[in-house]
Amino acid sequence: MSAITEFIKQLPKAELHIHIEGSLEPELMFQLSKKNKIDIPFKSVDDVQAAYQFHNLQDFLNIYYAGASVLITEQDFYDLTWHYLKKCHEDNVLHTEIFYDPQTHTHRGIHFDVAINGIHHALSDAKKILGISSNLIMCFLRHLDEADAFKTLQQAEGHLDKIIAVGLDSSEIGHPPAKFAAVFKKARDMGLLTVAHAGEEGSPAYIWQALDILKVSRIDHGVRAIEDEALMTRLINEQIPLTICPLSNVKLHVFDALAEHNYQKMLNRGIITTINSDDPAYFGGYLNQNYIDIATALNLTKKELVISAKNSFNASFISPQQKKHYCDRVDSSII
Ligand code: HPA
Ligand code: ZN
């Protein structure tokens, strides 16, 4: 094992950008499709992997929604989440903030309570059994209308103890953050924090809207911020974190190669950058793989990796005391 791989493996980390539906491995997809008698457009695990060649975000989303259709029962959501949490344990991820897309499931006739209860149950077991802390973020699908997001927020009302924030994901271009101004205001009034995917494929204008209109605490992806100097200054001055997903960005052609990724430039400009996996079953790896591959491609230093790990805790929605506790663990892990 290379020295940098070893260094990354023992570094305590948080993950802040992971779609739980994106951690559905082909093996579990097949198992659930058989059990639940749901047809999927693949004949074998190899067939699934061969389909994972994406030209852009939409290309990926089409396959991702098809895959998610095998999730039916609370136990299915538990198993999906538990599989991801075991990966966290292997990767020394001590805290994770998980996205899920209720509309992907309610639109297939799955009751709202099924997904959230299954995911929540696995998260509470992970705290007890693996010592991993977590928060759950409920995302609205931006290709649907705001009325549907309002309906979803209403369905969440009996579950507010399980959700820390609302987010915004799915097809970015043509669906600006401003489309969801009113439902995000309602969510904030209900005491929820807000985040949004912006500046993955969309222009920096979408990042401005996420900040000004949705009042987000952090930006998911945000890599196109680098095209707008005034925006960079704002992100730096207000210390707005970016949850960056290196392997995802290459798989979806946001960058041609990892060596061209702007992660290191962003970090060295003073942006609060974090490394994340996005949809690990689809993009080639869980959190450590993202750290290892970006560190190797950009020659990230140990110091830059330590900053990234501390950023991941400091950008999370845990208390200042918990942040300090985890950052102290980062310091004492350094070899
Ligand atoms: N972008 C937007 N929506 C998503 C993504 C993403 O990277 N992954 C899952 N849903
Ligand atoms: Zn994402």
Side-chain angles (χ1 to χ4, degrees):
M1 202 190 299
S2 78
I4 207 72
T5 299
E6 205 171 320
F7 184 79
I8 288 165
K9 285 194 167 174
Q10 54 71 49
L11 199 58
K13 294 164 288 281
E15 176 149 60
L16 306 179
H17 187 154
I18 154 80
H19 303 261
I20 200 65
E21 295 90 346
S23 70
L24 178 60
E25 292 286 347
E27 289 77 10
L28 184 58
M29 195 191 291
F30 266 91
Q31 204 182 310
L32 293 179
S33 92
K34 263 198 208 132
K35 174 179 81 77
N36 294 327
K37 302 187 174 47
I38 306 283
D39 276 340
I40 47 172
F42 313 107
K43 288 192 190 64
S44 65
V45 167
D46 286 350
D47 202 21
V48 182
Q49 269 147 0
Y52 290 180
Q53 306 294 334
F54 315 113
H55 295 103
N56 53 37
L57 174 59
Q58 192 59 51
D59 231 23
F60 154 70
L61 290 170
N62 295 340
I63 291 190
Y64 163 88
Y65 295 129
S69 70
V70 303
L71 298 160
I72 304 290
T73 67
E74 203 172 301
Q75 186 67 41
D76 297 343
F77 285 93
Y78 180 97
D79 292 345
L80 171 75
T81 309
W82 188 251
H83 163 269
Y84 164 70
L85 290 161
K86 281 197 301 193
K87 293 283 186 186
C88 286
H89 191 57
E90 279 170 36
D91 279 1
N92 209 14
V93 175
L94 305 185
H95 177 75
T96 181
E97 304 200 338
I98 293 179
F99 297 133
Y100 92 110
D101 294 337
Q103 290 152 301
T104 298
H105 315 299
T106 53
H107 276 234
R108 302 181 286 115
I110 308 295
H111 192 281
F112 182 90
D113 296 358
V114 171
I116 197 163
N117 286 341
I119 296 167
H120 181 76
H121 188 180
L123 295 179
S124 42
D125 279 358
K127 181 73 200 150
K128 284 182 248 157
I129 299 166
L130 305 173
I132 296 171
S133 58
S134 60
N135 282 313
L136 183 59
I137 300 171
M138 178 178 89
C139 287
F140 301 121
L141 298 180
R142 68 202 304 160
H143 66 274
L144 301 176
D145 62 22
E146 195 183 34
D148 210 282
F150 264 111
K151 200 167 125 193
T152 305
L153 187 59
Q154 198 177 11
Q155 289 168 327
E157 259 167 336
H159 297 277
L160 292 183
D161 56 327
K162 306 184 183 82
I163 302 170
I164 190 108
V166 293
L168 190 63
D169 65 2
S170 189
S171 323
E172 186 178 6
I173 292 175
H175 302 286
K179 180 177 164 185
F180 296 92
V183 74
F184 268 65
K185 161 107 182 41
K186 176 89 196 292
R188 293 195 307 275
D189 290 346
M190 287 163 66
L192 294 165
L193 296 168
T194 63
V195 298
H197 283 55
E200 178 185 19
E201 288 186 342
S203 75
Y206 283 25
I207 303 176
W208 284 106
Q209 286 188 14
L211 295 170
D212 290 335
I213 302 173
L214 305 186
K215 311 214 180 294
V216 296
S217 303
R218 53 187 193 233
I219 297 283
D220 297 314
H221 293 296
V223 289
R224 288 194 59 193
I226 209 155
E227 297 167 26
D228 181 335
E229 199 41 45
L231 178 57
M232 289 291 282
T233 303
R234 176 152 181 207
L235 295 174
I236 295 161
N237 288 347
E238 296 183 16
Q239 297 281 280
I240 310 273
L242 302 185
T243 64
I244 295 178
C245 308
L247 291 176
S248 165
N249 288 158
V250 173
K251 274 281 189 185
L252 301 187
H253 299 277
V254 174
F255 294 94
D256 292 334
L258 276 181
E260 277 157 45
H261 202 288
N262 62 19
Y263 185 83
Q264 195 171 31
K265 273 195 206 98
M266 291 278 204
L267 185 150
N268 289 319
R269 284 289 310 274
I271 300 265
I272 309 293
T273 56
T274 63
I275 297 172
N276 305 273
S277 71
D278 207 5
D279 299 282
Y282 292 87
F283 297 149
Y286 289 78
L287 191 58
N288 279 357
Q289 201 61 53
N290 276 270
Y291 267 81
I292 291 164
D293 289 358
I294 195 74
T296 307
L298 300 179
N299 268 319
L300 295 184
T301 62
K302 285 188 178 177
K303 192 168 163 222
E304 288 166 337
L305 291 165
V306 167
I307 292 171
S308 302
K310 286 189 179 174
N311 283 351
S312 72
F313 292 111
N314 287 326
S316 76
F317 294 138
I318 56 180
S319 69
Q321 291 82 351
Q322 284 172 303
K323 288 179 184 180
K324 181 171 184 316
H325 164 77
Y326 283 128
C327 288
D328 287 349
R329 284 187 64 173
V330 173
D331 281 331
S332 54
S333 81
I334 294 170
I335 48 177

